[in-house]
Amino acid sequence: MACLCAILAAARVGAAWGESPGAPSSIESSGDVEVASRIDFIQARLDRAEAPARKWRTGWLIGFGVLTVGQGAISVITDDPGLRIDNRVGGAGSLLGFVNVLVVPMHTRSAAGELRSIPDETPEQRREKLQKAEGLLSRNAKEARLATAWWSRSLSASVPTASSLLLWLRYDRPASAALNLGAGLLIGQSQISTYPRYAIRDWSDYSGFSLRAGEDHQ
């Protein structure tokens, strides 16, 4: 389980930097008014996306944490060998979910503050700030695309599938295996479905906004 978590995290981080959502119009050809306008646009979008990202991450950490601790406690105090196995396997899956949420980057929850801290007193500083702002927004969009990709759903489904096969084939607990599979698939797919997608739409909107702004200043 821990090994799978490490592979999943490494794959998601590596792929995030290997994909590009496309580049907006050139900063070098933009006037100072346009540059400031584009910075304001990105700042507003990063501000909007921050709270939902924080809530999503905190909520799933709490949820997986409660499941892990609860099932771990039951596996220790119960006298029923079957129930002990069920909760050990379920607790391991919940722990994997907790670690995955904890270690996989979600920069949307802090990007607004990063951008706000960058100085913008001079035209040169504003151009540098816009370049960094575009990088932050692009990074957030890559992470959101990655977190909600079809293969992320497949990897998520593989964990309850594997643990359910373990319960069924090794411990001869088909009913527990079916329950574990159903609950695991529901939780995993719900986690992905509720992942905030603001950054994907924001990058698309920004690409259109920067294009229109460039045409207006020509």
Side-chain angles (χ1 to χ4, degrees):
M1 287 294 187
C3 180
L4 177 59
C5 181
I7 294 172
L8 175 60
R12 290 179 62 181
V13 172
W17 296 108
E19 299 177 359
S20 174
S25 59
S26 173
I27 295 175
E28 295 302 322
S29 62
S30 304
D32 190 52
V33 173
E34 179 191 342
V35 168
S37 178
R38 287 162 66 175
I39 291 172
D40 290 342
F41 180 94
I42 294 176
Q43 183 69 68
R45 293 304 179 95
L46 294 180
D47 286 336
R48 182 186 69 169
E50 186 174 276
R54 289 179 180 271
K55 290 178 181 178
W56 182 90
R57 186 173 186 270
T58 300
W60 283 104
L61 283 175
I62 292 173
F64 281 126
V66 169
L67 286 173
T68 301
V69 173
Q71 291 177 104
I74 293 174
S75 70
V76 171
I77 64 177
T78 186
D79 293 326
D80 185 331
L83 188 59
R84 181 180 300 113
I85 290 298
D86 293 347
N87 281 275
R88 282 181 178 175
V89 173
S94 299
L95 178 61
L96 177 59
F98 179 89
V99 173
N100 182 56
V101 175
L102 184 65
V103 303
V104 173
M106 190 181 191
H107 292 98
T108 303
R109 60 195 177 92
S110 60
E114 289 183 57
L115 180 58
R116 191 172 288 107
S117 67
I118 300 174
D120 56 1
E121 300 298 323
T122 67
E124 291 74 17
Q125 287 181 333
R126 284 188 285 274
R127 287 180 182 276
E128 291 180 5
K129 182 168 184 174
L130 177 56
Q131 186 174 20
K132 293 177 180 178
E134 289 182 349
L136 293 174
L137 191 61
S138 173
R139 178 186 65 185
N140 292 352
K142 291 174 186 177
E143 290 178 357
R145 284 194 177 117
L146 190 61
T148 57
W150 68 267
W151 60 269
S152 291
R153 291 185 178 275
S154 298
L155 280 174
S156 175
S158 70
V159 176
T161 299
S163 60
S164 296
L165 286 173
L166 178 67
L167 285 171
W168 180 24
L169 299 178
R170 180 171 180 178
Y171 297 106
D172 193 25
R173 295 185 63 78
S176 296
L179 180 61
N180 180 79
L181 179 62
L185 289 175
L186 178 61
I187 292 173
Q189 299 307 307
S190 296
Q191 180 190 357
I192 295 173
S193 295
T194 57
Y195 190 97
R197 290 171 168 80
Y198 284 110
I200 300 174
R201 296 192 298 269
D202 290 343
W203 180 258
S204 178
D205 291 346
Y206 173 70
S207 297
F209 172 83
S210 61
L211 179 60
R212 291 191 303 272
E215 292 173 347
D216 292 342
H217 286 84
Q218 286 180 353

